[in-house]
Amino acid sequence: VTLTLALPTGRIFEETSELLTRRGVRLPESARAGRRLRIEADPFTFVLAKDRDVPTYVEHGVADAGIVGADVLAESRPDVFEPLDLRIGGCRMVVARPASRPPGFYRDLSVVRVATKYPAVTTRFFHGRGIAVEVIPLAGAVELAPVLGLADVIVDLVQTGGTLAANGLEVDEVLFESTARLILNRASFRLKVESMRALLYRLEEERVR
Amino acid sequence: MTRRSLLEIPSGVQCFFGEEARSRRDIERVVADVFRGWSYEEIVLPLFDFDDVFTRGGEVSSGDRIYRFIGRDGEVMALRPDFTALVAKVVSSRLARQELPLRLFYSGEVLRYQPPRAGRQEELFQIGLEHLGTGSVAADVEVILVAREALSRLGIDDAVFTLGHVGFALRLLSGIEDLGTRALALEALKRRDRDGLRRVVGAPALDLTDLSGGAEVIERARRAAGGCESLDRLEAIAAELSALGLEKEIRLDLSEVRDFDYYTGLVLEIHARGSGLELGGGGRYDSLLGRFGREMPAVGFYLSLDRASELLAKRGITSPDAAVSTVRSLREALAARKRGERIVVKP
């Protein structure tokens, strides 16, 4: 039985393909070239997708399984199984404020303006604490927003914090640690039990080491 | 103010025409015939009712997805998000004097707000049945047999029935005192998020998220967590289904608890190759009727007409259309119709 595996071409692509290679799941060279988006390499068919599209493919079942960051899952909350934390692509989802402002300063504002690529995560976090928020959705370069006075703080994924520092920002609070997850389509999990299990155990073995 | 075009549609609504509409009607007819063949009686249920019928009736997890409006007397009303609570209400009131067991089926739309995602429309067409007043293994098995026959008559012969029992997982999670923590654990379990579950409950002797397979999972669960009624019950159901020749079509999954909080025993999910979403599901809900004042055991399931229709189309299974004869006049038309022919009038 062939399994269709959706892989994220963004931030965690390198780490993902290294992990797969270590576990004997060979990703053809053509996947790296980045032109072909659907590659057959028995017993897998790889689908190379935008990070945020991976859960969509898996939820619809056009991919049986996928690898995607927990940040993306937190934002889109797809109805899929998430059996495995692959412990790669580690990042932190944070609130960051201008370094010139004191920690937690935004709590004194009646409405906090937050620039982010993660509007759902942001709204849940601030509303959960009873803080009114004006979400300013951006597609990238979120760090720019406080610099230009568009937002008071940002909610974003941070790896080293280098970009934050370069734009005069620092971490105010960590929302959660984000690592890559293996996600499975609910129907495929029932219908392709053996291959799904095999994939799961194979990737899990990696993690135990 | 911008003017909205009269042609604009609200999000979530849909209409069907042509081959698709025909196929949906045929599916409904085939499934209803199977249900009647097992002596399930049709019940036509109201499109809306008081809101608390659904919220107190068990629709808790989707409480925030209900379409509500204020009725003429100021009461909060809800468009039906689910049939089972309505069936429970009617059985506890209008049908209170009917002899048990009651076998009922329904067919129609339910309405829920849905995030715009995987095949999820806001109107969902469900055909389902409820078997009320019997708590036996035989009743559980009967509804699975009916579901299987209905699918097979539609041309879906390879459906997989995944059976679980909510009692098992809930027993293991009942040790968690704090209700908030227990809810987190349940959420993690629903996503089969092993690490998430471990963060909440620590590393247990038994990995609750990985308990699917054949009959051996029951033994594995028993060894690790001790025997219990739920495991015995599920084993009996599976054994009976195997004895009836369904061994290859059933799988067990002790991690399955489903989304509705009214299930108390068997839970069922139906899948078939080519459809990434469930074709149907159901289970036993022995305490729901009690909420309406008439304690009785019950079990049921639904089939999604939308997904069955999509799957049949994908597989190229279409219902053959009768041949059409062209007639030249309405007089000819009447004569041809008397003979039962399908006609089109072209003067």
Side-chain angles (χ1 to χ4, degrees):
Chain A
V1 184
T2 314
L3 278 188
T4 302
L5 192 56
L7 301 179
T9 49
R11 187 175 59 83
I12 56 174
F13 179 75
E14 276 311 317
E15 279 181 85
T16 302
S17 65
E18 279 164 25
L19 176 133
L20 290 174
T21 311
R22 279 203 302 277
R23 290 318 311 154
V25 179
R26 246 178 45 81
L27 201 56
E29 271 311 306
S30 49
R32 271 164 225 285
R35 291 230 176 77
R36 282 184 55 203
L37 303 176
R38 185 171 173 280
I39 297 159
E40 289 182 24
D42 198 52
F44 294 103
T45 298
F46 298 102
V47 174
L48 301 173
K50 282 265 189 202
D51 293 15
R52 288 188 180 221
D53 295 340
V54 168
T56 310
Y57 291 128
V58 175
E59 189 172 18
H60 278 80
V62 293
D64 300 304
I67 292 177
V68 67
D71 56 314
V72 175
L73 294 175
E75 182 63 20
S76 68
R77 296 186 147 188
D79 185 15
V80 295
F81 289 148
E82 306 171 19
L84 203 58
D85 182 346
L86 295 168
R87 312 245 165 110
I88 56 168
C91 270
R92 293 171 302 158
M93 183 71 78
V94 306
V95 178
R97 64 179 147 75
S100 55
R101 313 297 295 269
F105 82 97
Y106 62 81
R107 287 161 195 277
D108 298 330
L109 306 173
S110 34
V111 179
V112 190
R113 294 173 307 154
V114 188
T116 187
K117 286 180 284 188
Y118 301 88
V121 168
T122 301
T123 308
R124 270 207 310 278
F125 174 75
F126 284 97
H127 283 185
R129 299 186 164 199
I131 300 171
V133 66
E134 183 189 336
V135 175
I136 299 164
L138 294 177
V142 180
E143 299 82 0
L144 204 51
V147 177
L148 298 178
L150 179 63
D152 303 308
V153 294
I154 65 169
V155 167
D156 204 12
L157 207 56
V158 172
Q159 204 152 15
T160 58
T163 316
L164 286 187
N167 289 285
L169 300 173
E170 61 187 34
V171 173
D172 192 83
E173 188 172 347
V174 178
L175 273 59
F176 58 85
E177 305 281 337
S178 171
T179 45
R181 303 295 173 104
L182 175 72
I183 59 173
L184 309 176
N185 171 263
R186 297 175 62 102
S188 302
F189 186 68
R190 308 298 186 204
L191 299 167
K192 304 182 178 176
V193 188
E194 301 308 328
S195 344
M196 290 292 250
R197 215 10 91 71
L199 174 70
L200 186 60
Y201 288 163
R202 191 170 226 185
L203 294 176
E204 185 174 36
E205 216 177 301
E206 160 72 26
R207 202 193 65 177
V208 173
R209 283 179 194 172
Chain B
M1 201 177 93
T2 52
R3 265 185 72 85
R4 176 165 48 75
S5 150
L6 271 181
L7 299 182
E8 185 177 328
I9 58 169
S11 75
V13 306
Q14 49 191 344
C15 74
F16 300 95
F17 41 83
E19 169 65 34
E20 227 174 325
R22 210 158 53 229
S23 149
R24 291 169 69 94
R25 176 68 73 193
D26 288 344
I27 292 171
E28 192 183 5
R29 191 178 305 135
V30 167
V31 175
D33 279 349
V34 172
F35 289 180
R36 276 195 214 102
W38 286 81
S39 289
Y40 286 76
E41 283 289 335
E42 179 155 15
I43 178 167
V44 179
L45 293 159
L47 199 54
F48 62 89
D49 207 324
F50 294 116
D51 175 62
D52 56 6
V53 170
F54 304 106
T55 47
R56 250 188 262 158
E59 183 71 16
V60 170
S61 64
S62 44
D64 55 346
R65 308 192 316 217
I66 298 178
Y67 279 95
R68 294 190 173 86
F69 61 100
I70 306 294
R72 280 198 268 185
D73 50 3
E75 291 269 10
V76 180
M77 316 295 270
L79 295 179
R80 62 187 183 204
D82 170 43
F83 280 111
T84 305
L86 286 174
V87 171
K89 177 178 174 176
V90 173
V91 167
S92 307
S93 50
R94 296 299 303 281
L95 303 182
R97 284 163 25 174
Q98 300 227 356
E99 210 178 303
L100 299 178
L102 269 170
R103 290 181 170 91
L104 300 171
F105 84 87
Y106 54 79
S107 173
E109 288 93 351
V110 293
L111 290 106
R112 296 174 203 159
Y113 288 121
Q114 300 281 359
R117 277 213 315 254
R120 258 147 254 193
Q121 298 293 335
E122 306 195 356
E123 290 176 60
L124 308 148
F125 200 109
Q126 302 187 337
I127 316 177
L129 63 76
E130 315 289 351
H131 184 127
L132 305 118
T134 316
S136 65
V137 168
D140 293 344
V141 172
E142 178 180 311
V143 302
I144 294 168
L145 294 178
V146 179
R148 177 200 187 225
E149 183 184 329
L151 287 167
S152 143
R153 290 280 167 98
L154 290 174
I156 303 168
D157 277 316
D158 58 346
V160 169
F161 299 83
T162 305
L163 317 183
H165 193 298
V166 296
F168 179 70
L170 295 184
R171 170 168 73 97
L172 294 195
L173 296 183
S174 67
I176 307 173
E177 298 271 330
D178 181 61
L179 289 182
T181 314
R182 199 189 300 179
L184 278 180
L186 202 57
E187 273 310 306
L189 177 63
K190 282 181 185 168
R191 294 193 310 268
R192 304 295 189 276
D193 179 356
R194 179 180 322 186
D195 299 292
L197 188 61
R198 268 181 205 159
R199 271 196 297 279
V200 180
V201 300
L206 179 68
D207 181 2
L208 251 184
T209 61
D210 184 19
L211 286 171
S212 70
E216 78 286 348
V217 297
I218 293 189
E219 217 21 71
R220 185 144 58 91
R222 214 177 253 140
R223 273 200 310 273
C228 65
E229 242 173 72
S230 310
L231 291 175
D232 296 346
R233 173 78 180 208
L234 189 59
E235 189 169 47
I237 296 168
E240 180 69 18
L241 285 166
S242 298
L244 291 166
L246 275 75
E247 190 168 9
K248 291 216 170 64
E249 293 149 69
I250 60 169
R251 302 219 197 301
L252 303 180
D253 188 349
L254 291 170
S255 321
E256 193 50 59
V257 291
R258 290 188 71 76
D259 256 342
F260 292 90
D261 76 334
Y262 52 58
Y263 289 117
T264 55
L266 170 75
V267 282
L268 168 69
E269 274 188 3
I270 307 169
H271 292 102
R273 192 152 288 196
S275 180
L277 303 161
E278 76 172 26
L279 284 181
R284 177 164 282 287
Y285 49 100
D286 288 348
S287 56
L288 180 62
L289 273 285
R291 298 187 205 174
F292 292 94
R294 197 180 177 206
E295 278 308 331
M296 75 169 80
V299 59
F301 76 92
Y302 83 96
L303 291 176
S304 162
L305 184 121
D306 309 279
R307 293 176 191 167
S309 155
E310 270 169 42
L311 181 62
L312 290 178
K314 229 185 245 179
R315 292 186 176 184
I317 303 175
T318 51
S319 28
D321 224 355
V324 187
S325 28
T326 306
V327 296
R328 293 297 165 196
S329 71
L330 291 173
R331 188 172 300 278
E332 261 182 73
L334 283 178
R337 286 302 301 151
K338 226 171 218 170
R339 294 191 299 271
E341 287 171 34
R342 182 176 166 206
I343 54 157
V344 57
V345 184
K346 281 186 185 161

